[in-house]
Amino acid sequence: MSAAAIIAETTTHLEPLISDLGLILMTAGIAVLIFKKLKQPLVLGYLIAGFLAGTHFDFFPSVRDVKSVEVWAEIGVIILLFSLGLEFSFKKLMKVGGTASITAITQIITMVMMGFLVGQWMGWKQMDCIFLGVILSISSTTIILKTFDELGVKAQKFAGIVIGSLIVQDIIAILMMVLLSTVAVSQQFSGTELLISVLKLIFFLTIWFISGIFFIPTLLKKAKHLLTDEMMLIISLALCLMMVILASNVGFSPALGAFIMGSIIAETTQAEQIEHLVKPVKDLFGAIFFVSVGMLIDPATLYEYAIPVIILTFITIFGQSISSTIGALISGQPLKQSIQTGMSLAQIGEFSFIIATLGMSMNVTSNFLYPVVVAVSAVTTFTTPFMVKMATPFSEFLERKLPRRWLKRIARYSANTQSIKSVSTWQIVLRAHLLQIVLHTIIITAIILLSSKFVLPLVADSLFGNATAALITLIIISPFLWALSLRRVAVKEVEILRQERKYNGPIMMMILFRIGLSIFYIGFLLNIFFSPIVAFFALIIAVGVYYFFPKQLHVLYLKIENHFLKNLNDREIKKIKRRYASLTPWDGHMTTFQINKESNIAGKTLKTLRVREKMGINIAFIKRGEIMIKIPTKNERLFPGDEICVIGTDAQVKEFKTYLLRNEIEIPKNVEKAEIILQQLELDKEELIGKSISQSLIREKANGMVVGIERNGKRLLNPESDLILEKNDILWVVGDKKRMSELFKN
């Protein structure tokens, strides 16, 4: 074939691809300008632009090669999920409170059931109903965050609950995608298969996260001096696509792989740089994805299914709002914040598109489901800002209309659930042992399986091939076997429990179980590489050698663990170092101390303490809760619980530590500790009615303070001391629990 013929053929294939991409980007650009001017979410503009640029309108330019657009859209999904992972970080999930978790789980369970039942009621087939329930259960992170930014409510308390709920929803959405894939392939609800899928997901997520945190940050740090912005972008996208391939090979969706790699990179010190570099790529492919979604909307299908679209829109708006509000109320939030949370989550978005795409790609859902879902998403995207704005007036309306006894019960329940619930010592010990067992079981199993698949075939043909492979594997897993069987965890709590004889048996059983499990894994490994008889004798030898070197294994394991923890926490450490790097002079170093609540120096100014003049140290910063006081002045006071960072030599820091210990107040053991709580009390004692707050002697008798009064549905925060108390007032009092119960008991 001549060069001209090759060029002509290439041009023939290339021209539709380039022209379609140009059309997509042109319509997306116009949509951005129009919807930016209208102050509407850009996602809605992309959907409408794709709708108009699709093949269903002759009077607009249309795409010619739909298959190519679908390829661009699949790449868009991967980049979009990778970017979500970069913003996610597994540490955020650990920090999400019970309120956000309960809200998200309540919403998802309710909406999955509602979606499935409504689909059944409309006569849809079973797989359509299953996918519909999952699609309607996931709110849109992109739309909500954009709305919060535009309305300026991101700093309000309910916004934190909403964002935490979205984090939980994203993780559950990934899990449901895996489960949907399993159900779609088997076409049946097998509990065993679903359980296997969940365990498989947990296994691979754990291995990917641990190995990713162990190796990838180290790789990026070692090559830091070689990595330009261009190289960093290429390597981060290469890592993303590598995980996509890996996830696909083990039977998961490519989107899951992209999300996991993004969340791993989110723990590195280069996360902000990579996120900044990937953002233009995300914006480009994100626009292509949302425009391609709009292209799949068929006007004829929408006309035919107009009634289902209207029904599902109302179910999404009201179902999401009500279920999220109930979830927030169950978690102990006040009525107003619960309603604000619920009405903010009343939409579906990007994850719903991805789940709908999954159903289409596997050919298990009907053709009408996708455009119906997109239409519902478009309407709920448009209504989201109005729902957020209406939340506060609607909550005030409900407070006026609901029966007074309901409001009192909600307020009392909220106050009771806000109290901090302590975790028992036994729970701490049990959790620590379970964590050791689960983590090291997964690591050891993964190493043995990888060795049998990759190491054994390499040495199988040699004279002592099996013995060599078994020895290599045993050496690699030996520190993890030691940690599984012999590592002491929750040492202080175990010592406390040992003083109570009833816990000695359970603790010993857990230790024996861990030792037995490690011996089982040694036997399991040897059985793979040898015959059962040889494996039995090798097991005895291996166990003997294994328990002969505990100290060496301890040191080796600690090196591995410290390397992992350093990579995991390096991002936070670097932030602090960047903030205070200029403070460290010559041979001095920074050390952090905490001012105990029993310390004599609490409440005194730095000028009074004169620590610089006495010991030669400087105080770099004081951390008080979430407040950071940098380079404090001499008039700054120290308070109990303050974390102070001092700069000095080893000798100076040691002298300061001694100084702090010298100023500790020793508390007598027989002093009874008062439990200070916030309590809601209804005033019905005759001797207090008609008196002012100061005359009631609540402060003196109950060591308490009135911080709020609810009277006739109106609330007054921090009332004046001369306010007269009336019958049926609801008092919010902070004070000694025991003394308050004595004062207010009938």
Side-chain angles (χ1 to χ4, degrees):
M1 186 181 292
S2 65
I6 294 173
I7 293 172
E9 185 177 351
T10 303
T11 305
T12 303
H13 289 291
L14 189 62
E15 186 180 352
L17 179 65
I18 297 299
S19 62
D20 289 345
L21 180 60
L23 177 62
I24 291 172
L25 295 179
M26 181 182 69
T27 53
I30 295 172
V32 166
L33 294 175
I34 295 174
F35 278 77
K36 193 76 174 175
K37 185 71 175 176
L38 297 174
K39 296 182 179 180
Q40 295 297 322
L42 297 183
V43 173
L44 184 59
Y46 291 145
L47 293 175
I48 294 175
F51 180 63
L52 296 175
T55 56
H56 308 290
F57 290 95
D58 295 332
F59 48 90
F60 281 107
S62 301
V63 296
R64 289 187 284 174
D65 189 355
V66 178
K67 293 293 182 184
S68 298
V69 175
E70 290 176 358
V71 172
W72 287 112
E74 289 175 6
I75 298 173
V77 171
I78 291 171
I79 301 298
L80 193 64
L81 267 294
F82 179 60
S83 301
L84 282 174
L86 285 173
E87 298 170 5
F88 170 74
S89 165
F90 278 99
K91 284 185 180 177
K92 287 184 180 179
L93 184 62
M94 300 303 172
K95 294 176 183 177
V96 170
T99 297
S101 302
I102 293 170
T103 303
I105 292 169
T106 303
Q107 173 189 342
I108 288 174
I109 292 174
T110 304
M111 292 306 298
V112 168
M113 292 175 62
M114 286 183 64
F116 180 81
L117 293 175
V118 170
Q120 293 275 11
W121 175 69
M122 291 189 295
W124 293 1
K125 65 180 186 179
Q126 192 175 50
M127 289 305 298
D128 288 336
C129 297
I130 295 171
F131 272 81
L132 177 64
V134 175
I135 286 167
L136 296 184
S137 67
I138 306 297
S139 302
S140 172
T141 304
T142 305
I143 294 166
I144 291 174
L145 293 181
K146 181 70 174 173
T147 303
F148 281 1
D149 283 335
E150 291 173 352
L151 297 180
V153 297
K154 211 169 184 179
Q156 296 185 23
K157 186 176 180 180
F158 83 91
I161 300 172
V162 171
I163 293 170
S165 300
L166 292 171
I167 292 172
V168 178
Q169 283 188 28
D170 288 347
I171 285 294
I172 296 178
I174 292 291
L175 174 62
M176 289 195 295
M177 286 174 63
V178 175
L179 297 181
L180 284 175
S181 301
T182 304
V183 172
V185 170
S186 61
Q187 291 290 315
Q188 60 183 356
F189 299 99
S190 171
T192 304
E193 288 187 7
L194 292 178
L195 179 62
I196 291 172
S197 297
V198 172
L199 294 176
K200 180 181 175 183
L201 178 64
I202 293 171
F203 177 82
F204 280 104
L205 282 180
T206 306
I207 290 300
W208 288 339
F209 181 72
I210 292 174
S211 58
I213 293 296
F214 192 85
F215 292 109
I216 291 174
T218 305
L219 171 66
L220 294 178
K221 280 188 285 188
K222 295 290 185 185
K224 186 177 179 180
H225 62 288
L226 301 174
L227 295 177
T228 61
D229 285 353
E230 179 183 2
M231 287 295 298
M232 186 68 80
L233 176 62
I234 292 171
I235 288 176
S236 59
L237 291 177
L239 289 171
C240 168
L241 296 177
M242 180 188 72
M243 185 59 80
V244 165
I245 295 170
L246 189 58
S248 299
N249 287 339
V250 296
F252 295 130
S253 69
L256 173 64
F259 184 83
I260 295 301
M261 181 51 68
S263 63
I264 291 172
I265 293 178
E267 307 294 352
T268 66
T269 55
Q270 291 86 358
E272 288 90 350
Q273 181 188 2
I274 293 173
E275 190 175 346
H276 174 73
L277 294 172
V278 170
K279 188 177 184 304
V281 182
K282 178 196 79 170
D283 293 340
L284 171 64
F285 284 100
I288 293 172
F289 169 69
F290 287 116
V291 171
S292 67
V293 168
M295 287 180 178
L296 294 174
I297 302 175
D298 186 354
T301 303
L302 286 184
Y303 178 78
E304 182 181 353
Y305 291 91
I307 294 177
V309 168
I310 295 171
I311 293 172
L312 294 176
T313 300
F314 276 98
I315 286 176
T316 301
I317 293 174
F318 291 103
Q320 296 250 31
S321 298
I322 295 170
S323 60
S324 301
T325 300
I326 292 172
L329 285 171
I330 292 172
S331 69
Q333 293 303 307
L335 180 62
K336 180 180 178 182
Q337 289 178 3
S338 299
I339 292 173
Q340 288 175 317
T341 300
M343 293 181 70
S344 299
L345 291 166
Q347 75 291 117
I348 57 175
E350 59 277 2
F351 257 117
S352 300
F353 298 151
I354 294 168
I355 293 169
T357 305
L358 176 68
M360 282 184 55
S361 62
M362 300 184 74
N363 295 318
V364 294
T365 56
S366 303
N367 293 331
F368 64 80
L369 183 61
Y370 197 97
V372 166
V373 168
V374 174
V376 172
S377 173
V379 177
T380 54
T381 298
F382 182 76
T383 59
T384 296
F386 301 102
M387 295 290 289
V388 176
K389 289 178 184 177
M390 290 166 52
T392 301
F394 183 66
S395 65
E396 293 172 351
F397 170 78
L398 277 183
E399 287 180 345
R400 291 194 303 269
K401 296 296 182 182
L402 286 177
R404 182 178 173 80
R405 64 179 183 277
W406 290 15
L407 296 175
K408 288 168 69 174
R409 286 176 183 173
I410 292 172
R412 190 174 292 114
Y413 176 79
S414 175
N416 292 336
T417 53
Q418 294 298 321
S419 58
I420 300 173
K421 297 176 183 175
S422 59
V423 180
S424 69
T425 305
W426 171 248
Q427 286 176 316
I428 295 172
V429 172
L430 185 62
R431 189 182 301 169
H433 279 275
L434 288 176
L435 184 65
Q436 289 290 309
I437 292 170
V438 172
L439 281 182
H440 294 101
T441 295
I442 291 174
I443 293 171
I444 293 167
T445 303
I447 294 173
I448 293 175
L449 294 177
L450 288 172
S451 178
S452 63
K453 187 171 183 178
F454 297 105
V455 177
L456 183 59
L458 292 176
V459 296
D461 297 332
S462 60
L463 183 60
F464 300 103
N466 285 28
T468 304
L471 182 62
I472 293 172
T473 309
L474 196 59
I475 291 172
I476 295 173
I477 67 173
S478 58
F480 304 107
L481 284 171
W482 172 85
L484 174 62
S485 58
L486 297 179
R487 190 188 183 198
R488 298 175 67 192
V489 293
V491 179
K492 292 181 180 178
E493 289 78 8
V494 169
E495 289 300 321
I496 293 171
L497 290 179
R498 283 191 184 280
Q499 297 174 8
E500 304 177 28
R501 293 183 178 180
K502 65 178 182 178
Y503 287 107
N504 285 339
I507 291 174
M508 185 57 65
M509 289 296 296
M510 283 193 296
I511 294 172
L512 292 176
F513 177 75
R514 288 171 57 186
I515 294 173
L517 195 60
S518 63
I519 295 174
F520 165 77
Y521 272 114
I522 297 174
F524 174 65
L525 164 67
L526 297 172
N527 189 57
I528 291 177
F529 294 95
F530 303 107
S531 64
I533 298 175
V534 176
F536 176 74
F537 289 105
L539 172 64
I540 297 174
I541 298 171
V543 171
V545 174
Y546 166 65
Y547 284 106
F548 193 68
F549 299 102
K551 291 184 179 179
Q552 292 82 349
L553 293 175
H554 181 197
V555 172
L556 180 59
Y557 178 80
L558 287 181
K559 285 183 180 179
I560 295 171
E561 184 182 57
N562 290 335
H563 181 77
F564 175 82
L565 292 176
K566 185 177 184 300
N567 284 348
L568 184 64
N569 299 318
D570 214 17
R571 185 177 179 183
E572 282 79 6
I573 295 171
K574 292 290 184 185
K575 283 181 179 179
I576 296 174
K577 285 186 176 180
R578 282 199 299 268
R579 195 178 296 167
Y580 302 107
S582 59
L583 302 177
T584 308
W586 300 292
D587 60 341
H589 60 91
M590 302 171 71
T591 309
T592 303
F593 295 96
Q594 187 171 29
I595 305 299
N596 288 333
K597 58 184 178 181
E598 302 89 5
S599 178
N600 275 325
I601 69 174
K604 296 181 180 179
T605 63
L606 299 182
K607 182 180 179 180
T608 304
L609 297 174
R610 300 178 71 245
V611 292
R612 181 175 183 180
E613 291 79 0
K614 292 178 181 178
M615 288 162 275
I617 65 166
N618 286 298
I619 296 181
F621 65 86
I622 301 173
K623 188 173 187 296
R624 186 171 299 148
E626 299 297 325
I627 301 172
M628 184 75 71
I629 304 169
K630 307 173 187 177
I631 318 297
T633 63
K634 61 183 180 180
N635 295 320
E636 189 66 50
R637 294 182 185 274
L638 295 178
F639 290 95
D642 281 355
E643 291 183 18
I644 60 172
C645 179
V646 301
I647 302 175
T649 63
D650 288 339
Q652 291 168 338
V653 171
K654 185 177 180 181
E655 184 182 359
F656 181 70
K657 182 178 180 181
T658 305
Y659 170 77
L660 290 179
L661 293 174
R662 227 177 20 242
N663 281 278
E664 294 282 326
I665 300 173
E666 187 174 349
I667 302 176
K669 293 184 179 179
N670 58 353
V671 173
E672 184 179 354
K673 295 183 178 179
E675 184 181 355
I676 303 299
I677 63 168
L678 173 64
Q679 190 168 357
Q680 184 189 45
L681 302 164
E682 187 169 354
L683 187 62
D684 54 5
K685 291 183 73 67
E686 294 295 335
E687 58 265 31
L688 297 181
I689 297 170
K691 293 183 179 181
S692 66
I693 294 175
S694 59
Q695 292 171 343
S696 68
L697 300 179
I698 292 175
R699 180 184 291 271
E700 292 77 9
K701 293 181 180 179
N703 194 21
M705 178 173 58
V706 178
V707 296
I709 292 181
E710 183 177 335
R711 179 180 295 168
N712 299 324
K714 295 182 180 179
R715 296 176 179 176
L716 178 63
L717 184 65
N718 297 324
E720 297 292 337
S721 60
D722 57 356
L723 182 71
I724 303 299
L725 299 176
E726 298 179 3
K727 189 174 182 179
N728 296 326
D729 280 351
I730 297 176
L731 307 183
W732 291 85
V733 186
V734 174
D736 186 330
K737 180 180 180 181
K738 183 177 179 182
R739 292 174 64 179
M740 280 200 299
S741 63
E742 291 175 354
L743 175 63
F744 287 95
K745 69 180 180 180
N746 294 325

